[in-house]
Amino acid sequence: MPVFRKDPCGITCIILTYCAIFYADYVVINWIILQTMRNSLWGAVHVLFFNTVIFLTIMSHLRAVLSDPGIVPLPQSRIDFSDMHSGGEQNNDWTVCARCEMYRPPRAHHCRICQRCIRRMDHHCPWINNCVGEWNQKYFLQFLMYVGVLAFYAIFLIAYSWLKDCHDCAKDMITKQGRVLHTVILTMESILFGMFVVAILFDQMQAIFTDETAVEQVKKQGPYRAHRPKMVLLREVCGRGDPALWVFPCTSSPKNLEPAFTMVA
Ligand SMILES: [Zn+2]
Ligand SMILES: [Zn+2]
C-alpha cells in the first residue's frame, strides 16, 4: 500500500529534489552536450547514459517514497497495560509503544512524523518524505548511490567540456556567458549533493555492517546481534535476490526475506 505523508518539510524536500534533478538534466543536455559535443557520437552516448542514471534515480526515489517502510500494524484491540506487570507470555525482545498502545517487534521504533512504529527504523528522511526502515532501506541506498553517480558524472562532463579543444562551440558572448553561468551552478549543486550523499551512504553502510541503526546508536541499544557475516547483514537490507541485481530499483524488497513476525494476540 503506498504511503504518502502530508509533512510540509518532506514535500518541500521532494520538490527540491526533482528541481535539482531536472535542472541537472537541462544543463547537461542544453549547455554541455549541445554546445560542445553536438557533432560527435560521444554527445549522444552521454545523453543516453546520463538520462539512464536519471531514470534509475527517479525509480529508486519513488520506491523509497511510496514503499511501506515497515509500519507495524495496529492491533485490533488496544492492549490492556495492566497485563504488562504480570509478565504474561510476551517475548522479551518485544517492547511496548506507549503512543501506539501496542506491542511491537524487536528493533521497531516509533516515528513522531509518521505517528506509527516502524520495523528496524533507521531515521525519518525528509528527502524521501518517509521513514527509512526495514522494507525500504534498499531503495534509499539505491537513491543515494544514483545521486552520487549523477553528481560525479555531471562534474566529469563539465570538466571535459571545458578542457577539450572546442571547434563547434558557440562563439557569441551571450551563449558563452549562459554556458559559464549554468555550468558553475551545476558544479556547485553536484559538489553539494555529491558530498552529502556520499557521507550518508558511508554512514548507512557502517550502520548495516555494525548491525546498529541510527536510532539504536542514539539510544545506545545496539549492536543488536554480535558478529554476523557482512553478506548476511547486507542480505537483510537488500533481500534474497542475486547481489548483481541489488543496485536496480526493480527487484523485490527484502519484505519477503523472513516470515513477518506474527502479531501477539
Ligand atoms: Zn508507536
Ligand atoms: Zn517516519
Side-chain angles (χ1 to χ4, degrees), residues 205 208-209 227-244 246 257:
M205 294 319 277
I208 293 170
F209 290 140
H227 299 302
R228 290 187 308 151
K230 285 187 170 158
M231 248 350 234
V232 173
L233 294 166
L234 265 182
R235 246 173 223 290
E236 273 193 1
V237 174
C238 297
R240 229 186 245 148
D242 191 327
W246 285 352
L257 185 66

Side-chain angles (χ1 to χ4, degrees), residues 3 11 34 36 41 64 77 81 88 92 105-106 121 163 170 179 194 201 208 212-213 223 240 244 247 252 256 263 265:
V3 280
I11 293 170
L34 287 180
T36 64
L41 184 64
S77 54
F81 280 91
N92 280 338
M121 175 184 167
L163 291 174
R179 200 180 136 210
L201 200 53
I208 293 170
E212 189 181 32
T213 63
R240 229 186 245 148
V247 294
S252 68
N256 309 318
M263 285 306 297

Side-chain angles (χ1 to χ4, degrees), residues 111 114 124 131:
C111 172
C114 301
H124 186 93
C131 261

Side-chain angles (χ1 to χ4, degrees), residues 97 99-100 102 104 110 116-117:
C97 176
R99 292 190 193 87
C100 301
M102 65 167 190
R104 62 188 171 190
H110 188 85
R116 290 291 293 276
C117 282

Side-chain angles (χ1 to χ4, degrees), residues 5 111-116 118 121 123-125 130-132:
R5 311 192 196 292
C111 172
R112 279 161 213 241
I113 298 166
C114 301
Q115 297 179 339
R116 290 291 293 276
I118 312 290
M121 175 184 167
H123 67 289
H124 186 93
C125 175
N130 202 355
C131 261
V132 177

Side-chain angles (χ1 to χ4, degrees), residues 173-186:
M173 257 339 250
I174 306 274
T175 315
K176 220 168 178 182
Q177 280 172 353
R179 200 180 136 210
V180 172
L181 178 73
H182 286 295
T183 48
V184 166
I185 297 174
L186 184 59

Side-chain angles (χ1 to χ4, degrees), residues 18 21 52-67 139-140 142-143 146 247-251:
Y18 282 92
I21 291 175
T52 305
V53 182
I54 284 189
F55 174 75
L56 291 169
T57 308
I58 293 174
M59 279 291 292
S60 55
H61 184 254
L62 285 178
R63 295 202 82 163
V65 172
L66 299 172
S67 301
Y139 304 126
F140 179 66
Q142 288 170 346
F143 173 63
Y146 288 125
V247 294
F248 296 108
C250 50
T251 50

